[in-house]
Amino acid sequence: IAGQIGWLALTVQSNAANWGFNLLTKWPRADYVVVDEMELRLACGDQDGILGRLLIDQRDRMGARVFAVTMGHRGCLVLDDDGFYEVPALVSGVVDRMGAGDAFLAWSATLVCIGAPGEVVGLIGSIAGGLEAGMVGNRPVTLEMMTQWLNQNFAAN
């Protein structure tokens, strides 16, 4: 993307097939990271620590400009150079969580690359992840789906 050669957006996923073997710590650096809360806690070896502190530690370790942690029905927490942004889960009706993190990453990575603020990154990522979780299987969240959701929920009356 425009002048960003070598720019890296990253997610790691832990599931039943690789539990504990696909950790964030495998990666020395990234410009943007999206993980769920358990994946962050696994990488830090910390089940009970303050989430914000763990987020800061990993962001600093990797040199990431933006780091997002998804928290399912509790929304997401985004850290950028200006601080923390907590975005609630905005889409209800979870059917299948598969692919929700991928949708979050896909829709938010370009925003990070072009310098969008953390609250915008979290908002768009949260909507995309929620829309994906509302579908069975891992199917793309389209521009039409995003536009329709935004118009229904944020359009001026």
Side-chain angles (χ1 to χ4, degrees):
I1 296 176
Q4 298 294 324
I5 296 173
W7 192 87
L8 178 62
L10 173 69
T11 189
V12 296
Q13 296 172 332
S14 292
N15 57 45
N18 68 12
W19 193 253
F21 293 99
N22 188 35
L23 299 179
L24 186 61
T25 54
K26 289 183 357 183
W27 297 87
R29 66 159 295 278
D31 298 287
Y32 176 45
V33 178
V34 176
V35 293
D36 72 22
E37 182 176 355
M38 187 54 64
E39 290 157 352
L40 177 62
R41 291 187 178 284
L42 278 168
C44 295
D46 190 331
Q47 291 182 342
D48 304 313
I50 297 169
L51 187 60
R53 183 75 250 160
L54 302 178
L55 188 56
I56 290 169
D57 291 347
Q58 287 301 308
R59 185 186 88 134
D60 290 351
R61 180 188 70 78
M62 298 180 80
R65 188 177 79 73
V66 179
F67 202 114
V69 177
T70 61
M71 303 179 297
H73 70 278
R74 296 185 349 252
C76 68
L77 185 61
V78 178
L79 175 62
D80 70 9
D81 292 335
D82 294 325
F84 285 100
Y85 301 95
E86 194 167 348
V87 178
L90 298 168
V91 179
S92 59
V94 171
V95 175
D96 182 357
R97 297 177 341 164
M98 181 184 294
D102 297 330
F104 189 110
L105 176 73
W107 275 90
S108 61
T110 301
L111 295 171
V112 173
C113 189
I114 65 171
E119 64 264 49
V120 173
V121 170
L123 172 70
I124 296 302
S126 184
I127 294 167
L131 288 171
E132 178 64 42
M135 297 184 280
V136 174
N138 194 348
R139 299 186 330 215
V141 174
T142 65
L143 179 58
E144 181 181 346
M145 293 165 69
M146 289 290 285
T147 302
Q148 181 180 9
W149 192 93
L150 288 165
N151 284 335
Q152 288 175 349
N153 292 277
F154 290 116
N157 294 328

